[in-house]
């Protein structure tokens, strides 16, 4: 009897475990209109947009968010023809290029999409459409650096800034893409020299994130930093007195305004090659570039809208209206491996 | 049957890892020439330097504290006994983010030193738990013997206790080491280039997944060496426990200065790596308001709790079977192959995720072709890929080594005479396992449960890549916010990672209390 009871409990335990697991696996098979989204964006604002989309269209967004685009691409690749992916969103053009190279998209062309997104922000075969933009700007300590002292990224290699420049590590895709765009603009040779001098100018070994670089300026550890526009905007908008202190003496420079424009990067969206709900997927992308959605993205995440007819938020307007470099954009993905090799060679960690 | 079960289980665990081997034979274009001429030496040096320093540093923190709280009585001892394990609940990248925000404003410190301190502070509980377990099981007669020979307490510790507990302590250190070499978040934040960051740079930046997997085989080799070293140490000393004694009957009271010294020694690590970060998190939440704690938030918390419990039980189940079989068939060479499952822990979660993706693809094809052939039925969807099974599979590959190591450490102390006795009584192997080893291993099961549970709560890359739709966990939520430099907004979910991690710690405390009575 005792033995029986002892054997009984593991059996119950095993049963419960399997019920538990199967409950997890087959929970979400209700009959509703859905679109399956694979996204490497990780911002809270996106979820609010998907709620709004559901309200407007009745289509539920099933989200799978994988922050590293390369990992996301690997997953879609391994799922093959049966992949449930309808829409693929990635951050950074380099990643869009990788996804395109892995043949994950199918071309789409609708009147609404053509009208909404300027043609230089659409992949040439219509594989993907940009949905938001951000720039890689230069911020500086207004008390120590004169406004006109820096105009281009190229100026950051000037020896007079030795020990004054701050940047995060080059493990980060933002820096890799910037260098990839420099390769496109100036060639490998020149970019390597630039990177060498830039690395020599660094005030400290790269550490922390973009906001940490701005804090470091405030703490007197350097005078110039490379940061993304939305981080600067976030500090400007912040109600935290600490953040206000940091941003008070910071000026922002949009580089290369007299020539190719500021290096930008985009979040992009495209329809997956084997999308089971293609129509819903197209509706989602159309929604993301709609006026409503673009305004929300700009307001909540301080990103630049891709639509030209959307009014910028005050914060973005106050920062100034930059000229964007859309020319080197398409080559960023191709150049990234070269950029990494140069970065490794010059020792920008 | 008895011979085939371990081989079968072994193959299941090793199958995805085998799919990685194939990458070893692929050319990785010009990547190796580039790595060798630039960063490879730095990667290897930093990895070795960091993992050895963190290993030693955490042993240095943990072993004396474990001894102190086992054998001495002093102010707050009962509290410290379990509270010293609390820092384990905080993921090291989170500790790094929190301290970085302080460091920026207060002090300047070498980034190597900072990374070593932060990793040691968040990883020492591994060593603490393993040493504590073994200290409790050491027979007091040995200490009495040493006393009779007029040896000082310190000398007894050095000459008697430490050598006896070395295998267990080393097991803990091994886990610390593997955690360190696999860590990405912390070292990346302090921009220390290790093999782990190199793997991702090669994969994401240089775009070579083959190169990345090849680098991870260097990590692999590194941990093989460690595991072999460990078993070598273990073989040199065979020591069986005749009975498992009670620790409480020779706790010594500390008096005077020592009483306070012990108190401060125990409080310091908890203060730095648990209480202070927790205060910062609470302040953040206070400033943020309570709006983040909505229904969806608690769904995520519950989901994390559920998946971690299931995952931990699964790993323990597999680990136990391996270790019992290993004990019973210790002469069988095949069984010793099982040691290989320990290496799963040394492979970064992201790489394990890839191996699971590959093997599930193969399995899915197999299932599809079989059903098509047998029943002429074609599936519309994927059966296994993108389900919770994929996530659980990755967990069992990665974390079984913990339950296996821990069970082995206890198993080695059980005298073979017990098994012989059982055999004499005509009991089968499974009866012996169930009736004799399982009860004797209760302690180690509990400990592995805590460790694996908390590890899964904190786990990021494998969960992120393999999960189904709309499957957010508490650690993914925290990481997404923290890596977007929104530490404040990340605080509510960070708090719940910690709270979930504390639950099993408290459970084990009550379990121990009950046992003492």
């Amino acid at each position: 009897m005792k033995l029986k009871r002892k054997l009984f409990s593991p059996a119950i335990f095993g049963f419960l475990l399997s019920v538990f697991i199967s409950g997890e696996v087959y929970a979400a098979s209700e009959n509703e209109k859905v679109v399956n989204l694979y996204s490497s964006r990780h911002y809270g604002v996106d979820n609010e947009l998907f709620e709004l989309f559901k309200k407007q269209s009745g289509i539920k967004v099933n989200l799978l968010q994988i922050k590293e685009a390369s990992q996301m691409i690997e997953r879609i690749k391994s799922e093959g023809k049966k992949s449930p992916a309808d829409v693929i969103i990635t951050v950074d053009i380099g990643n869009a290029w990788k996804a395109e190279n892995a043949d994950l998209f199918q071309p789409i062309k609708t009147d609404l999409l053509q009208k909404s997104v300027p043609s230089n922000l659409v992949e040439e075969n219509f594989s993907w459409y940009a949905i938001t933009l951000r720039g890689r700007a230069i911020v500086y300590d207004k008390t120590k650096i004169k406004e006109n002292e820096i105009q281009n990224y190229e100026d950051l290699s000037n020896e007079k800034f030795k020990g004054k420049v701050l940047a995060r590590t080059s493990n980060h895709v933002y820096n890799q893409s910037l260098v990839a765009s420099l390769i496109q603009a100036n060639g490998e040779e020149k970019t390597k020299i630039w990177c060498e001098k830039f690395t020599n100018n660094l005030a400290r070994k790269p550490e922390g994130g973009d906001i940490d670089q701005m804090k470091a300026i405030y703490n007197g550890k350097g005078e110039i930093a490379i940061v993304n526009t939305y981080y600067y905007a976030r500090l400007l908008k912040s109600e935290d007195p600490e953040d206000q202190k940091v941003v008070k003496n910071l000026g922002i420079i949009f580089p290369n305004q007299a020539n190719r424009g500021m290096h930008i990067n985009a979040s992009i969206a495209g329809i997956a090659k084997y999308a089971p709900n293609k129509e819903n997927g197209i509706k989602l992308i159309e929604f993301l570039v709609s006026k409503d959605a673009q305004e929300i993205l700009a307001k909540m995440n301080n990103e630049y809208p891709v639509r030209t007819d959307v009014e910028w938020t005050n914060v973005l307007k106050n920062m100034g209206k930059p000229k964007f470099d859309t020319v080197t954009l398409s080559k960023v993905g191709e150049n990234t491996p070269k950029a990494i090799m140069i970065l490794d060679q010059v020792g920008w960690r | 049957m008895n011979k085939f079960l371990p081989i079968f289980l072994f193959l299941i665990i090793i199958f995805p890892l085998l799919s990685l081997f194939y990458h070893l034979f692929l050319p990785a274009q010009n990547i190796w020439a580039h790595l060798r001429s630039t960063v490879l030496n730095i990667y290897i040096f930093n990895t070795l330097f960091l993992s050895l320093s963190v290993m030693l540093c955490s042993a240095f923190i943990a072993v004396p504290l474990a001894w102190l709280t086992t054998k001495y009585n002093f102010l707050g001892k009962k509290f410290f006994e379990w509270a010293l394990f609390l820092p384990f609940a905080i993921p090291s990248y989170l500790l790094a983010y929190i301290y970085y925000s302080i460091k920026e404003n207060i002090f300047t410190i070498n980034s190597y030193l900072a990374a070593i301190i932060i990793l040691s502070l968040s990883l020492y509980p591994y060593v603490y738990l393993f040493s504590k377990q073994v200290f409790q099981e050491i027979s007091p007669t040995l200490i009495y013997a040493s006393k009779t020979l007029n040896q000082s307490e310190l000398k007894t510790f050095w000459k008697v206790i430490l050598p006896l507990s070395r295998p267990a302590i080393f097991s803990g250190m091994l886990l610390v080491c593997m955690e360190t070499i696999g860590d990405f978040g912390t070292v990346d934040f302090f921009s220390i280039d290790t093999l782990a960051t190199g793997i991702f740079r090669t994969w994401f930046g240089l775009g070579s997944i083959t190169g990345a997997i090849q680098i991870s085989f260097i990590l692999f080799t590194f941990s093989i060496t460690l595991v072999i070293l460990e078993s070598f140490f273990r073989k040199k000393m065979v020591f069986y426990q005749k009975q498992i004694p009670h620790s409480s009957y020779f706790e010594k009271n500390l008096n005077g200065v020592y009483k306070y010294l012990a108190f401060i020694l125990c409080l310091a690590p908890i203060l730095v790596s648990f209480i202070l970060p927790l205060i910062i998190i609470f302040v953040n939440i206070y400033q943020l308001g309570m709006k983040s704690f909505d229904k969806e938030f608690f769904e995520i918390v519950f989901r994390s709790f559920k998946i971690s419990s299931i995952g931990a039980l699964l790993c323990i189940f597999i680990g136990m079977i391996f270790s019992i079989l290993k004990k019973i068939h210790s002469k069988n060479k095949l069984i010793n192959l099982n040691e290989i499952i320990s290496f799963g822990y040394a492979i970064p979660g992201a790489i394990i995720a890839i191996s699971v993706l590959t093997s599930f693809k193969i399995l899915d094809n197999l299932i599809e072709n079989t059903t098509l052939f047998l029943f002429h039925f074609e599936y519309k969807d994927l059966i296994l890929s993108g389900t919770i099974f994929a996530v659980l599979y990755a967990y069992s590959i990665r974390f079984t080594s913990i339950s296996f190591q821990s069970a082995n450490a206890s198993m080695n102390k059980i005298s073979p005479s017990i098994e012989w006795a059982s055999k004499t009584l005509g009991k089968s192997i499974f009866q012996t396992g169930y009736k004799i080893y399982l009860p004797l291993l209760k302690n180690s099961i509990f400990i592995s449960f805590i460790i694996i549970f908390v590890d899964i709560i904190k786990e990021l890359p494998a969960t992120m890549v393999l999960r189904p739709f709309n499957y957010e966990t508490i650690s993914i939520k925290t990481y997404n916010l923290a890596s977007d430099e929104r530490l404040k907004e990340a605080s509510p979910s960070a708090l719940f990672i910690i709270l979930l991690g504390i639950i099993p710690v408290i459970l084990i405390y009550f379990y121990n209390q009950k046992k003492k009575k």
Side-chain angles (χ1 to χ4, degrees), chain A residues 3 6 10 13 17 20-21 24-25 36-38 42-43 60-68 70-71 74-75 78-79 82 84 98 168-171 176 204-212 215-216 219 221 231 234 240 301 336-337 340-341 343-345 348-349, chain B residues 30 34 38-39 42 100 103-105 108 111-112 188-193 197 200-201 203-206 209 306 310 313 350 354 357 361 368 378-382 385-389 392 434-435 464-471 476 479-480 483-486 488:
Chain A
L3 183 75
K6 269 197 176 162
F13 170 75
L17 196 68
F20 229 18
I21 295 177
E24 284 288 333
V25 177
N36 298 327
L37 169 64
Y38 285 43
H42 58 281
Y43 308 111
K60 184 186 169 216
V61 177
N62 283 327
L63 175 66
L64 174 67
Q65 178 260 328
I66 298 177
K67 200 178 156 239
E68 266 319 323
S70 300
Q71 295 179 333
E74 215 49 48
R75 166 134 176 203
S78 91
E79 285 172 342
K82 291 201 165 169
K98 279 183 212 158
R168 77 191 311 170
T169 90
S170 70
N171 275 336
Q176 297 169 0
R204 61 172 183 189
K205 218 178 118 205
E207 54 179 48
D210 275 2
I211 288 183
D212 295 317
K215 285 187 179 157
N219 288 322
K221 287 180 183 149
Y231 287 120
R234 192 192 291 169
D240 192 330
N301 214 31
T336 302
I340 300 276
M341 291 197 174
L343 289 165
D344 280 345
Q345 282 158 10
W348 175 353
R349 292 286 160 244
Chain B
N30 49 353
H34 165 74
T38 52
V39 282
I42 301 169
Y100 197 81
K103 165 186 145 45
E104 258 316 78
N105 296 317
T108 315
S111 58
Y112 281 92
D188 183 50
F189 203 69
F190 288 104
S191 80
I192 297 170
D193 296 320
T197 62
F200 292 118
R201 197 176 167 93
W203 181 3
F204 307 152
L206 290 173
I209 196 164
K306 221 163 46 174
I310 296 172
L313 290 174
I354 292 302
L357 279 180
K361 185 184 179 180
E368 193 191 332
E378 200 180 346
Y379 285 106
K380 208 172 111 252
D381 303 312
L382 295 162
S385 307
T387 66
I388 202 73
F389 287 120
L392 287 173
Y434 187 70
K435 285 268 191 180
M464 179 105 87
V465 175
L466 297 170
R467 65 197 168 137
F469 284 114
N470 307 321
Y471 197 88
I476 291 176
Y479 182 72
N480 277 345
S483 67
D484 191 31
E485 307 183 36
R486 292 176 187 269
K488 206 162 261 182

Side-chain angles (χ1 to χ4, degrees), chain A residues 131-309:
Chain A
I131 52 176
T132 66
L133 303 174
R134 70 273 298 269
R136 195 116 182 100
I138 298 170
V139 291
Y140 63 100
D141 188 332
K142 279 195 276 196
T143 60
K144 291 172 187 154
I145 301 279
K146 280 183 233 103
E147 208 189 326
N148 291 328
E149 243 177 301
I150 304 163
Q151 285 177 347
N152 303 316
Y153 294 112
E154 285 80 355
D155 298 335
L156 293 178
S157 62
N158 195 320
E159 265 179 35
K160 68 177 173 180
F161 299 129
K162 196 164 178 116
K164 294 179 180 177
V165 183
L166 294 155
R168 77 191 311 170
T169 90
S170 70
N171 275 336
H172 207 284
V173 68
Y174 299 153
N175 286 338
Q176 297 169 0
S177 293
L178 173 64
V179 174
S181 84
L182 287 169
I183 292 177
Q184 192 55 33
N186 305 329
E188 265 182 76
E189 293 273 307
K190 274 190 182 163
T191 306
K192 188 174 171 189
I193 295 167
W194 179 85
C195 277
E196 230 158 31
K197 289 182 173 170
F198 177 87
T199 309
N200 274 333
N201 281 350
L202 285 176
R204 61 172 183 189
K205 218 178 118 205
E207 54 179 48
D210 275 2
I211 288 183
D212 295 317
Q213 311 310 322
M214 294 191 264
K215 285 187 179 157
I217 293 183
Y218 171 70
N219 288 322
K221 287 180 183 149
E223 296 169 13
I224 306 158
I226 306 185
V227 300
N228 270 5
T229 46
Y230 61 96
Y231 287 120
Y232 178 75
R234 192 192 291 169
L235 286 187
L236 274 183
K237 237 170 62 173
S238 169
E239 284 164 11
D240 192 330
E242 283 294 313
D243 290 345
Q244 283 305 324
K245 264 195 274 175
V246 170
V247 82
K248 204 180 119 215
N249 283 327
L250 281 184
I252 187 161
I253 297 161
F254 298 132
N256 301 69
Q257 293 303 292
N259 42 68
R260 64 183 185 272
M262 168 167 63
H263 167 65
I264 50 163
N265 226 312
S267 294
I268 61 100
I271 296 287
K273 191 165 187 189
Y274 302 106
N277 310 297
K278 185 179 166 188
E279 293 310 310
N280 296 351
I282 292 174
K283 276 185 198 149
L284 177 64
I285 300 178
E286 285 176 343
F287 166 78
L288 288 172
V289 295
S290 71
K291 233 175 156 176
D292 290 350
Q294 291 281 301
E295 267 167 18
I296 294 174
L297 279 167
K299 203 175 120 200
M300 307 273 295
N301 214 31
N302 308 307
E303 290 175 278
Y304 293 113
V306 287
R307 283 178 84 103
T308 44
D309 57 349

